[in-house]
């Protein structure tokens, strides 16, 4: 079933229209790759889905994006709720400058989870899902920024998954990483496909063909092709 539905989304940065009317549906438990040349609007569109563009000066967005049955641009939308349901992983690993444990606990506390046992359980579960629990379980009190780039990115994936989002947005999650870390993360995403819906910006056609179910090609702010990856 459809979990995210975008209808005729236009976005302008001041006088420059970066998205010219994007209409597409995302089905639950599918991994969609957003492909296209640099500057074509992939990240801009991705950031519309959890309203990350809202804070940029002079941004104007029209059209509609629904998460399940909720119009996320409705004034009634609670952004804390939205970002709990729709998590995000960025290109550069961006763990906070404190312990691995507290990186994950931070988001859980924002989501209203205060019970210590539940937090411990989510820390373990999410680090397992991100396939880094075994190598990191004795170092949970170490500063998350002291780990390798690939490990930091998996900590960020764990941080995103820990609040149990339904959708996870990934903005070129492997392009800052070495090939081995990159393929480990691809493998991790493949293993999680039954539990989450992923929407991933990438400029890597091979990566899209290895792990995505659906592929969308963007060009100059338009969606020009959208269908099953095969
Ligand atoms: P992609 O992810 O496909 O590389 P982006 O969505 O980042 O493309 O950018 C699409 C277009 O919007 C580009 O022309 C870019 O320069 C412009 N753009 C992106 N962010 C901003 C911003 N904050 N202010 C003004 N223009 C922006
Ligand atoms: P700070 O970074 O502010 O010094 P700490 O990392 O010492 O904070 O811990 C903050 C809270 O997280 C404490 O309640 C602590 O018991 C808990 N905590 C920290 N690390 C772990 C861990 N590895 N396992 C379980 N609880 C932890």
């Amino acid at each position: 079933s459809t979990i995210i539905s975008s209808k005729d989304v236009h976005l302008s940065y001041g006088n420059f229209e970066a998205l010219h009317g994007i209409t597409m549906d995302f089905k639950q438990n599918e991994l969609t790759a957003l492909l296209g040349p640099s500057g074509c609007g992939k990240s801009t569109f991705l950031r519309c889905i959890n309203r990350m563009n809202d804070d940029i000066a002079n941004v104007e967005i029209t059209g509609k994006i629904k998460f399940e049955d909720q119009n996320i641009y409705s004034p009634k939308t609670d952004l804390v709720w939205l970002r709990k349901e729709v998590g995000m992983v960025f290109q550069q690993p961006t763990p906070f400058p404190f312990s691995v444990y507290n990186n994950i606990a931070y988001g859980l506390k924002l989501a209203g989870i205060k019970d210590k046992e539940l937090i411990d359980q989510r820390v373990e579960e999410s680090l397992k899902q991100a396939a880094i629990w075994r190598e990191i379980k004795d170092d949970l009190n170490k500063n998350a920024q002291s780990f390798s780039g690939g490990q930091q990115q998996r900590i960020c994936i764990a941080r995103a998954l820990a609040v149990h989002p339904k959708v996870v947005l990934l903005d070129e999650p492997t392009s800052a990483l070495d090939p081995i870390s990159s393929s480990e993360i691809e493998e991790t995403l493949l293993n999680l496909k039954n539990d989450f819906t992923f929407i991933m910006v990438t400029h890597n056609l091979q990566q899209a063909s290895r792990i995505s179910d659906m592929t969308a090609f963007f060009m100059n702010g338009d969606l020009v092709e959208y269908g099953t990856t095969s």
Side-chain angles (χ1 to χ4, degrees):
S1 62
T2 297
I3 185 159
I4 301 268
S5 163
S6 163
K7 266 216 183 86
D8 199 28
V9 169
H10 291 251
L11 181 145
S12 298
Y13 296 110
N15 295 326
F16 171 69
E17 190 176 82
L19 297 175
H20 309 311
I22 305 298
T23 297
M24 60 194 296
D25 288 344
F26 299 90
K27 289 211 185 80
Q28 205 164 354
N29 301 119
E30 283 185 344
L31 192 157
T32 302
L34 307 182
L35 278 162
S38 188
C40 67
K42 305 181 295 294
S43 300
T44 295
F45 179 64
L46 192 76
R47 293 196 306 262
C48 287
I49 300 173
N50 67 349
R51 294 186 51 178
M52 286 271 300
N53 293 317
D54 283 26
D55 305 329
I56 302 171
N58 298 319
V59 163
E60 195 174 318
I61 303 166
T62 65
K64 193 183 254 184
I65 296 183
K66 278 191 179 176
F67 168 81
E68 295 179 333
D69 284 329
Q70 170 98 30
N71 173 10
I72 67 163
Y73 282 95
S74 152
K76 282 184 292 186
T77 299
D78 174 3
L79 288 185
V80 174
W81 164 82
L82 178 64
R83 288 167 191 168
K84 187 220 154 298
E85 296 290 355
V86 183
M88 181 123 187
V89 175
F90 300 93
Q91 175 174 4
Q92 292 297 332
T94 50
F96 304 125
F98 37 74
S99 70
V100 173
Y101 182 93
N102 283 332
N103 260 268
I104 295 169
Y106 179 78
L108 293 170
K109 285 172 186 162
L110 282 184
I113 296 173
K114 298 192 180 78
D115 179 64
K116 172 84 165 70
E117 256 173 60
L118 183 55
I119 292 177
D120 288 357
Q121 186 194 317
R122 291 286 186 93
V123 168
E124 178 170 345
E125 175 195 71
S126 64
L127 289 167
K128 281 179 174 163
Q129 287 176 318
I132 192 176
W133 172 252
R134 226 177 306 165
E135 63 187 271
I136 217 175
K137 66 174 163 34
D138 298 323
D139 295 318
L140 297 183
N141 290 323
K142 266 178 77 174
N143 190 313
Q145 295 183 346
S146 68
F147 293 90
S148 74
Q151 289 173 317
Q152 289 187 39
Q153 191 62 313
R154 283 188 280 149
I155 292 166
C156 292
I157 291 171
R159 184 176 65 190
L161 302 182
V163 297
H164 290 180
K166 290 188 178 149
V167 177
V168 181
L169 310 177
L170 305 131
D171 196 348
E172 303 206 27
T174 65
S175 59
L177 305 179
D178 63 89
I180 291 172
S181 301
S182 175
S183 66
E184 284 169 352
I185 284 178
E186 286 183 12
E187 176 109 13
T188 300
L189 295 177
L190 272 176
N191 289 333
L192 292 171
K193 274 206 304 202
N194 293 332
D195 301 316
F196 300 94
T197 301
F198 292 112
I199 304 174
M200 179 179 72
V201 167
T202 178
H203 55 240
N204 184 330
L205 200 58
Q206 283 74 33
Q207 177 170 69
S209 70
R210 279 192 296 268
I211 67 172
S212 70
D213 303 296
M214 301 294 287
T215 295
F217 283 97
F218 281 67
M219 190 84 83
N220 294 324
D222 285 307
L223 173 64
V224 292
E225 192 83 57
Y226 179 37
T228 59
T229 299
S230 59

